[in-house]
Amino acid sequence: MVLGRGNFSRSVAFRWIVSYAVILLIPVALSVIVYSQTREIVEYEIKRASVAMLKQVKYIVDGELRQTENLAAQLTVHPDVRHFLDLKAETGASAYHIYRTEQQLKKMLAANDFLKDIYIYSNALDSVLSGETYASARMFYEMKNQTGTFAYEDWRELMIADHAGQYVQLPVKNKEKKENTPSYIRSFPAQAGSGAAGTLLIPLNAEKIKTMLENIDWVKKGQVFIVDPNGQILFQNSENVEALSATYRKWIGRGTSTFTDTFQGKKSMITIESSDTSGWSYVSVFPVDVFWERARAVRTLNVLGLALCIGIGGLLIYYFARKNYDPVKELVNVFSLRQRQGTSRDLDEYTYIRRNVLETIRERDDMKNRHVRQLRVLQSYYLSRLMKGQTDRNVPLAEAAMTHHLSWTSDRFAVLLFYIDSDEGGTTDLPLSQFIVSNIVKDSVEGRHAIDFTDVDGTLGAVVNVAPGRADCWKDEIEDALAQAYEFITARYKLRFTTVGSDLQTGLDGVHQAFLQALEAQEYRMVLGEDALIWYGNVKPSEGSYFFTVNDEMILLNLLKADEFEKAKGMIDQIVQRAFQRQTPLEMAKCVLLDVATTLIKSIPGPEQAGVAWEEWRPLKRLLSCATKAEFHQELHDIFDKVCGVLRSRQTAHAGAGIGDQVAEFVKENYRDPNLSVSMIGDRFRLTPQYVSRLFREQIGQGLHDFISQTRVEAAKALLQTGASIDDTAARVGFASGHAFIRVFKKYVGITPGKYKALQ
């Protein structure tokens, strides 16, 4: 295909040139936009940098303030501090306790360089203790806080006032220089009564905060102030800054914000952050010119970059458009050699190549699909005949696998049969269900063993070719793969399937034998339930004896007659479990269950047996109609419950109304016997321990065990009153040991036998 000069606008070369030019124009346009938006960007960067820096300052200072307040809270409950505050002036201060408290203050002060000092004022002693000195209130004031504007009376009034925890400005001497220092003040609550026991004063280290501000990025190019709620500067990063006038104090009223204003004759960006911890305000002031210096450099670079981008980009557009068009031109020439009738010469190169390639691929795919469909039909037909034993068995294994494109790698085979059912909302189309199950199971099994599926008279069958060297673990691997596939298919497609499998067989002849074994295992699928994987080797009938013997029948009858219904029910569950072991023939299992049902009916007395068991229940007829293990089990439980109901009603009717009085009399006569217990009483009256205990409680209104213990305790009290020893009393009233006697006696009397004896 050759394009003329008039058709160049439809060529891909023209499109490439236009595309490259558009791509080149994108950064050019973006650069112009960035250039036009430089002012907004610079202002945004100014605000962002100011806010970030100021937040950094606020977080650091607020963190130190929180540590200061936490330290103050610890000192209010510190035992040494409390002991110091409790000292009285009239008794004389303890030098040891003062020294010990002073050492504790030194340790706390050394651990926090944000604090300048820690002062504790005691109302009782009218003195101040710090980590360096202990002095009277007057002397401490003269050493630390005396100024012309701050009298001693003002200082002492501040000390004795009640403070919940706040920051104040106090004049502090620093190297013979008077300066106002922010200080945290808090009152110590008194141990008893009203008023405060003293006051805690913690001056902050202003030099530390100033040094911290000077070390933060951007601060050297601007000014940072920390201002109290009254508009007074607490800290600043430079000494050569005029104090905030009334004009600047209006900034504080705006709260947290960023805005532009004039400061010291320069247009500056003002940023304010308010602290939730102390109520302080953090103010930063940065000249806008600092940032515009960088913006001007950016604008210059943008202009140079645009010019360079357009020049170099034009050259690259021409070079790459020409270089990339050469392979396309060669492909067009190749397809032009086999020009098809009806192909337009006005198409662009890509459309022309695409149309020719798609036609070739379509022809190839059609041929491949026809071949695959034919191959699948032949494979399914061959596998079905192989399972039924209808193929030529003399054909070598390798030749059969190659002929039907089967990836068999060994001569060991097994057969699986799948029985598929759908849940509500699942597909009911059998071919579609078989397609879903076969594909997902194949994906799960392949990689370990080869598996091929076919339809065998409406049932999905599979021939598994076990990989060489994996004959010992193939069953476990198949079970894992089927479990994964079952979980996915059930959740995704609402399908359930039961699998039966054969033992491992050898050679092509073994495939037919494996198929017969899978069919034989199918019988157990109905009995053991649908959600199961059943192997022929696990259900293959074995020679075994009839395990429900006459002795077992007598044991079951005795348990029913003795009112041991729970034990009888457990025995029946064990018999059902054993009957449906997979090596037990089904005929034998059904006979055993019929014998169990007959034994249950035998336990009913003769007069009631004929009317109730045979005419009303018809248990054997219902048992013979069961088909699965769950149905057999449930039917036996129903028969058992009905038999227990009849036996309990007879037992209740025959239980004497005066059995409680008889038992009580028996206990009073035999309480000295150490072996006396509920079980012994049940044997005496020919009743089970549970039943005799229940009858006693119903008729007497008290538990039998409690009655025995109280009878013994009453007898013991009489012996103790006569002066008998504890061990002798315990032995005479039927207790096995003195410890048991003491424990039971205290439970019912409330005191030990020894105390009871002493009170008499």
Side-chain angles (χ1 to χ4, degrees), residues 8 24 83 113 135-136 227 257 270 272 321 348 399 412 423 456 470 477 481 514 517 545 603 690 707 758:
F8 178 73
L24 177 62
H83 195 88
D113 58 354
S136 64
V227 185
S257 60
I270 315 299
I272 301 175
D348 64 82
E399 182 180 343
R412 309 300 298 276
D423 293 331
V456 185
R470 307 182 77 91
E477 294 174 345
Q517 290 180 354
S545 60
S603 64
Q690 297 84 358
F707 183 77

Side-chain angles (χ1 to χ4, degrees), residues 7 32 39 110 148 174 179 244 254 292-293 363 380 431 493 582 588 611 629 663 710:
N7 296 327
V32 173
R39 187 173 188 84
N174 185 13
E179 59 182 22
L244 290 178
R254 298 191 181 191
W292 276 113
E293 292 176 1
E363 293 176 357
S380 178
Y493 298 102
R582 295 181 175 178
M588 181 183 293
K629 174 184 175 181
V663 171
Q710 288 184 354

